[in-house]
Amino acid sequence: MSRHHKTALVFIFLLLVLTGLGFYIPIPIGYFVLVSVIWFAISMYGSAYIGSGFHTKTYCSNPNETQKKIAITFDDGPSPITLQILDVLEKYNAKATFFCIGKNIEQHPEILKKTFDQGHLIGNHSYGHSPFIDFSNQSQFIAELSQTDALIEKVTGKKPSFFRPPYGVTTPSMGRALKVSQHRVIGWNIRSFDGRLKSESLIFNRIKNRISAGSIILLHDSGQHSVGVLERLLQTLREKNFEVVSLEQLLNLKAYEN
């Protein structure tokens, strides 16, 4: 049972208790409103914060990692920027995981192939990355997952097990879809905000100040500024004796079904 369902049961129970008490003593309507508002607030927070695991189990770090190992992930590719990212990773002999959008794979299958051939992991990041994806029903989520899985498998020969929700938002429908698809949801515990910020220094300092063993860093291979951030990050990690490892190694999970 997900945390979403457990929370719902608790608050439904509270509402039923208030209703039952109402037969014996006057219960101000404000109590019902307060319970409902708290329930709504918890549900909104749980949906928006991927680390909550509210609708589905999520892997956002390895809190049991004692050695100085971290994983770097990229969202929203493949794109021409991905090629520059690959060059920087190769320079530092680092491996990363790329969560790819299906429609971008259709435009740049050769970039996805190069990414995979260089030993990086490929994950599913939905087909369209629509701002309205959170309003999709179960069957629509399954279609997004299946379509992107098929595109990745066509290029790499591998069906991905890792999925990262667009915007890091989860929903009840997504949770039900993931039970069918059996994808593992990968989050992060260091968000760079390079999708919003453009200053390399601001982004780099945000990451640097949060680095710890077992962390998963979120970057994007869709903006030129992220290339410079990655270069500075990898140099700093080398100086601090951190090892950049794959998600498979960090989490001890398989990235592909076949």
Side-chain angles (χ1 to χ4, degrees):
M1 183 182 295
S2 69
R3 293 180 180 178
H4 162 66
H5 289 111
K6 291 177 181 177
T7 301
L9 289 175
V10 168
F11 280 92
I12 289 172
F13 174 75
L14 290 176
L15 290 172
L16 289 174
V17 169
L18 288 175
T19 301
L21 289 174
F23 288 105
Y24 302 98
I25 59 175
I27 303 294
I29 189 66
Y31 284 97
F32 290 90
V33 173
L34 178 61
V35 169
S36 299
V37 167
I38 294 174
W39 182 6
F40 177 77
I42 292 174
S43 297
M44 289 298 292
Y45 174 80
S47 297
Y49 175 49
I50 195 168
S52 69
F54 196 63
H55 296 291
T56 184
K57 180 178 176 60
T58 59
Y59 299 87
C60 297
S61 68
N62 182 352
N64 298 317
E65 181 60 67
T66 57
Q67 300 182 30
K68 299 175 78 172
K69 296 180 179 180
I70 67 164
I72 298 176
T73 64
F74 293 90
D75 285 7
D76 295 358
S79 76
I81 299 295
T82 308
L83 296 174
Q84 298 179 54
I85 295 290
L86 292 177
D87 288 342
V88 176
L89 290 169
E90 185 176 25
K91 177 181 176 181
Y92 288 88
N93 193 29
K95 301 302 180 186
T97 301
F98 291 79
F99 289 94
C100 298
I101 299 173
K103 64 181 182 181
N104 290 344
I105 295 173
E106 290 177 330
Q107 294 179 6
H108 304 289
E110 74 289 349
I111 297 178
L112 179 68
K113 183 68 164 58
K114 182 174 182 178
T115 303
F116 177 77
D117 287 347
Q118 289 191 359
H120 304 288
L121 300 180
I122 309 298
N124 189 320
H125 196 42
S126 81
Y127 174 79
H129 204 292
S130 166
F132 305 107
I133 192 172
D134 301 325
F135 298 99
S136 301
N137 59 35
Q138 178 181 338
S139 61
Q140 289 170 327
F141 270 118
I142 291 175
E144 288 262 347
L145 292 165
S146 299
Q147 191 171 4
T148 305
D149 277 353
L151 288 165
I152 292 172
E153 189 168 16
K154 181 179 180 180
V155 174
T156 68
K158 300 286 187 178
K159 184 178 180 181
S161 296
F162 294 162
F163 169 69
R164 176 167 283 165
Y167 315 106
V169 175
T170 59
T171 66
S173 295
M174 181 186 294
R176 291 191 293 271
L178 290 167
K179 282 186 177 181
V180 175
S181 69
Q182 296 295 301
H183 286 84
R184 293 186 174 95
V185 178
I186 307 298
W188 59 82
N189 67 333
I190 300 179
R191 188 172 192 171
S192 66
F193 283 106
D194 62 334
R196 301 179 187 175
L197 302 174
K198 301 302 178 184
S199 168
E200 286 187 15
S201 294
L202 284 176
I203 298 167
F204 169 70
N205 287 328
R206 177 179 174 80
I207 299 172
K208 183 182 69 174
N209 295 333
R210 291 167 171 78
I211 292 172
S212 61
S215 289
I216 297 175
I217 299 172
L218 166 63
L219 287 162
H220 294 79
D221 53 329
S222 54
Q224 184 65 49
H225 55 288
S226 297
V227 180
V229 171
L230 178 63
E231 178 93 38
R232 294 175 66 179
L233 173 61
L234 290 174
Q235 180 61 41
T236 298
L237 290 171
R238 175 178 289 181
E239 292 169 356
K240 293 180 178 293
N241 297 314
F242 273 87
E243 182 183 0
V244 180
V245 300
S246 72
L247 280 178
E248 282 191 324
Q249 184 176 344
L250 186 72
L251 300 175
N252 194 29
L253 296 173
K254 294 292 186 181
Y256 304 108
E257 292 185 13
N258 53 2

